[in-house]
Amino acid sequence: MTNRQRTTILVNGTRYEREVEPRLSLADFLRHELHLGGTHVGCEHGICGVCTVLIDGRSARSCLTLAVQADGAEITTVEGLRDAETGQLHPIQQAFIDAHGLQCGFCTPGFLMTTLELLRDNPQPSDDEIREALGGNLCRCTGYQSIVESVRLAASRLRG
Ligand code: FES
Ligand code: FES
């Protein structure tokens, strides 16, 4: 007898319906059921932030969220940032490239999704506000300064 539960989740505008184990994390659902590998998995216990996605517009750790808890929710992952029609990178992605906000890139999806939420809520953040917002995302490579500069650049471009 299976205890799989029917789960329907809107991911980057596409509706997916699957039978899932109740213990399956949202991160594993995205990566293994939907083959959306842009959401990375590091610590798997809420520390590093690489698995950050937006759930109904709010940033959340997909490693700490069960897929069944996201039933009926709208998820945005890093794959949803790029313009679906033109293929153009999101201004936040481009700013991270231009301001050298990544090296190995493992942490980058989490930083991008957190930045998306930050700049939506606060289009002109101070450096302290940027550091505060990104405080839950860890990076082993950059020393963070170039990430802060990337967010500043993205903010100024988005303000136009
Ligand atoms: S993998 Fe989710 S917080 Fe580290
Ligand atoms: S760029 Fe390597 S962990 Fe952040």
PDB file of all heavy atoms in Angstrom, residues 101-108 111 138-142 147, ligand 2:
ATOM      1  N   GLY A 101      29.767  38.662  -9.114  1.00  0.00           N
ATOM      2  CA  GLY A 101      29.128  38.210  -7.881  1.00  0.00           C
ATOM      3  C   GLY A 101      29.145  36.707  -7.702  1.00  0.00           C
ATOM      4  O   GLY A 101      28.477  36.187  -6.806  1.00  0.00           O
ATOM      5  N   LEU A 102      29.876  36.005  -8.557  1.00  0.00           N
ATOM      6  CA  LEU A 102      29.990  34.557  -8.386  1.00  0.00           C
ATOM      7  C   LEU A 102      31.349  34.078  -8.854  1.00  0.00           C
ATOM      8  O   LEU A 102      31.971  34.686  -9.716  1.00  0.00           O
ATOM      9  CB  LEU A 102      28.900  33.812  -9.158  1.00  0.00           C
ATOM     10  CG  LEU A 102      28.904  33.933 -10.672  1.00  0.00           C
ATOM     11  CD1 LEU A 102      28.506  32.619 -11.319  1.00  0.00           C
ATOM     12  CD2 LEU A 102      27.964  35.032 -11.107  1.00  0.00           C
ATOM     13  N   GLN A 103      31.774  32.981  -8.240  1.00  0.00           N
ATOM     14  CA  GLN A 103      32.983  32.307  -8.714  1.00  0.00           C
ATOM     15  C   GLN A 103      32.601  30.879  -9.116  1.00  0.00           C
ATOM     16  O   GLN A 103      32.347  30.608 -10.273  1.00  0.00           O
ATOM     17  CB  GLN A 103      34.068  32.366  -7.646  1.00  0.00           C
ATOM     18  CG  GLN A 103      34.619  33.793  -7.500  1.00  0.00           C
ATOM     19  CD  GLN A 103      35.689  33.919  -6.451  1.00  0.00           C
ATOM     20  OE1 GLN A 103      36.418  32.985  -6.154  1.00  0.00           O
ATOM     21  NE2 GLN A 103      35.789  35.097  -5.859  1.00  0.00           N
ATOM     22  N   CYS A 104      32.480  29.959  -8.149  1.00  0.00           N
ATOM     23  CA  CYS A 104      32.090  28.598  -8.545  1.00  0.00           C
ATOM     24  C   CYS A 104      30.602  28.544  -8.918  1.00  0.00           C
ATOM     25  O   CYS A 104      30.176  27.680  -9.673  1.00  0.00           O
ATOM     26  CB  CYS A 104      32.390  27.594  -7.440  1.00  0.00           C
ATOM     27  SG  CYS A 104      31.182  27.589  -6.090  1.00  0.00           S
ATOM     28  N   GLY A 105      29.804  29.446  -8.363  1.00  0.00           N
ATOM     29  CA  GLY A 105      28.393  29.524  -8.729  1.00  0.00           C
ATOM     30  C   GLY A 105      27.465  28.625  -7.932  1.00  0.00           C
ATOM     31  O   GLY A 105      26.248  28.668  -8.148  1.00  0.00           O
ATOM     32  N   PHE A 106      28.015  27.841  -7.030  1.00  0.00           N
ATOM     33  CA  PHE A 106      27.145  26.901  -6.306  1.00  0.00           C
ATOM     34  C   PHE A 106      26.105  27.635  -5.459  1.00  0.00           C
ATOM     35  O   PHE A 106      24.945  27.235  -5.395  1.00  0.00           O
ATOM     36  CB  PHE A 106      27.989  25.970  -5.419  1.00  0.00           C
ATOM     37  CG  PHE A 106      27.164  24.911  -4.754  1.00  0.00           C
ATOM     38  CD1 PHE A 106      26.669  23.839  -5.488  1.00  0.00           C
ATOM     39  CD2 PHE A 106      26.852  24.990  -3.404  1.00  0.00           C
ATOM     40  CE1 PHE A 106      25.873  22.871  -4.883  1.00  0.00           C
ATOM     41  CE2 PHE A 106      26.062  24.029  -2.789  1.00  0.00           C
ATOM     42  CZ  PHE A 106      25.568  22.971  -3.530  1.00  0.00           C
ATOM     43  N   CYS A 107      26.515  28.718  -4.841  1.00  0.00           N
ATOM     44  CA  CYS A 107      25.594  29.460  -3.962  1.00  0.00           C
ATOM     45  C   CYS A 107      24.659  30.379  -4.729  1.00  0.00           C
ATOM     46  O   CYS A 107      23.697  30.913  -4.164  1.00  0.00           O
ATOM     47  CB  CYS A 107      26.411  30.306  -2.987  1.00  0.00           C
ATOM     48  SG  CYS A 107      27.318  31.655  -3.828  1.00  0.00           S
ATOM     49  N   THR A 108      24.970  30.628  -5.999  1.00  0.00           N
ATOM     50  CA  THR A 108      24.354  31.729  -6.747  1.00  0.00           C
ATOM     51  C   THR A 108      22.828  31.640  -6.869  1.00  0.00           C
ATOM     52  O   THR A 108      22.146  32.662  -6.701  1.00  0.00           O
ATOM     53  CB  THR A 108      25.013  31.839  -8.138  1.00  0.00           C
ATOM     54  OG1 THR A 108      26.426  31.869  -7.968  1.00  0.00           O
ATOM     55  CG2 THR A 108      24.558  33.094  -8.864  1.00  0.00           C
ATOM     56  N   PHE A 111      21.340  33.141  -3.803  1.00  0.00           N
ATOM     57  CA  PHE A 111      21.527  34.594  -3.727  1.00  0.00           C
ATOM     58  C   PHE A 111      20.595  35.312  -4.703  1.00  0.00           C
ATOM     59  O   PHE A 111      20.036  36.365  -4.391  1.00  0.00           O
ATOM     60  CB  PHE A 111      22.990  34.957  -4.021  1.00  0.00           C
ATOM     61  CG  PHE A 111      23.872  34.862  -2.811  1.00  0.00           C
ATOM     62  CD1 PHE A 111      24.681  33.753  -2.618  1.00  0.00           C
ATOM     63  CD2 PHE A 111      23.889  35.868  -1.863  1.00  0.00           C
ATOM     64  CE1 PHE A 111      25.490  33.655  -1.498  1.00  0.00           C
ATOM     65  CE2 PHE A 111      24.701  35.784  -0.736  1.00  0.00           C
ATOM     66  CZ  PHE A 111      25.505  34.665  -0.551  1.00  0.00           C
ATOM     67  N   LEU A 138      25.074  31.561   2.371  1.00  0.00           N
ATOM     68  CA  LEU A 138      26.519  31.412   2.553  1.00  0.00           C
ATOM     69  C   LEU A 138      27.225  31.243   1.207  1.00  0.00           C
ATOM     70  O   LEU A 138      26.703  30.603   0.297  1.00  0.00           O
ATOM     71  CB  LEU A 138      26.817  30.184   3.429  1.00  0.00           C
ATOM     72  CG  LEU A 138      26.167  30.182   4.822  1.00  0.00           C
ATOM     73  CD1 LEU A 138      26.613  28.962   5.607  1.00  0.00           C
ATOM     74  CD2 LEU A 138      26.492  31.459   5.586  1.00  0.00           C
ATOM     75  N   CYS A 139      28.416  31.857   1.126  1.00  0.00           N
ATOM     76  CA  CYS A 139      29.252  31.717  -0.072  1.00  0.00           C
ATOM     77  C   CYS A 139      30.665  31.411   0.386  1.00  0.00           C
ATOM     78  O   CYS A 139      31.214  32.111   1.239  1.00  0.00           O
ATOM     79  CB  CYS A 139      29.225  33.010  -0.891  1.00  0.00           C
ATOM     80  SG  CYS A 139      30.388  32.972  -2.282  1.00  0.00           S
ATOM     81  N   ARG A 140      31.271  30.373  -0.204  1.00  0.00           N
ATOM     82  CA  ARG A 140      32.619  29.988   0.207  1.00  0.00           C
ATOM     83  C   ARG A 140      33.693  30.700  -0.600  1.00  0.00           C
ATOM     84  O   ARG A 140      34.871  30.570  -0.301  1.00  0.00           O
ATOM     85  CB  ARG A 140      32.810  28.473   0.010  1.00  0.00           C
ATOM     86  CG  ARG A 140      31.951  27.625   0.903  1.00  0.00           C
ATOM     87  CD  ARG A 140      31.955  26.176   0.444  1.00  0.00           C
ATOM     88  NE  ARG A 140      31.431  26.074  -0.913  1.00  0.00           N
ATOM     89  CZ  ARG A 140      31.267  24.917  -1.555  1.00  0.00           C
ATOM     90  NH1 ARG A 140      31.614  23.784  -0.980  1.00  0.00           N
ATOM     91  NH2 ARG A 140      30.764  24.896  -2.771  1.00  0.00           N
ATOM     92  N   CYS A 141      33.294  31.376  -1.682  1.00  0.00           N
ATOM     93  CA  CYS A 141      34.299  31.864  -2.638  1.00  0.00           C
ATOM     94  C   CYS A 141      34.536  33.364  -2.638  1.00  0.00           C
ATOM     95  O   CYS A 141      35.678  33.807  -2.702  1.00  0.00           O
ATOM     96  CB  CYS A 141      33.888  31.483  -4.065  1.00  0.00           C
ATOM     97  SG  CYS A 141      33.583  29.746  -4.341  1.00  0.00           S
ATOM     98  N   THR A 142      33.475  34.154  -2.620  1.00  0.00           N
ATOM     99  CA  THR A 142      33.620  35.545  -3.059  1.00  0.00           C
ATOM    100  C   THR A 142      34.047  36.520  -1.974  1.00  0.00           C
ATOM    101  O   THR A 142      34.466  37.629  -2.290  1.00  0.00           O
ATOM    102  CB  THR A 142      32.282  36.067  -3.613  1.00  0.00           C
ATOM    103  OG1 THR A 142      31.313  36.033  -2.545  1.00  0.00           O
ATOM    104  CG2 THR A 142      31.789  35.230  -4.774  1.00  0.00           C
ATOM    105  N   ILE A 147      29.274  40.322  -4.185  1.00  0.00           N
ATOM    106  CA  ILE A 147      27.838  40.010  -4.190  1.00  0.00           C
ATOM    107  C   ILE A 147      27.041  41.255  -3.820  1.00  0.00           C
ATOM    108  O   ILE A 147      26.043  41.594  -4.477  1.00  0.00           O
ATOM    109  CB  ILE A 147      27.530  38.828  -3.249  1.00  0.00           C
ATOM    110  CG1 ILE A 147      28.142  37.541  -3.814  1.00  0.00           C
ATOM    111  CG2 ILE A 147      26.023  38.671  -3.050  1.00  0.00           C
ATOM    112  CD1 ILE A 147      27.943  36.302  -2.965  1.00  0.00           C
TER     113      ILE A 147
HETATM  114  S1  FES B   2      30.561  31.461  -5.650  1.00  0.00           S
HETATM  115 FE1  FES B   2      31.302  29.580  -4.828  1.00  0.00          FE
HETATM  116  S2  FES B   2      30.140  29.291  -3.046  1.00  0.00           S
HETATM  117 FE2  FES B   2      29.568  31.264  -3.710  1.00  0.00          FE
END
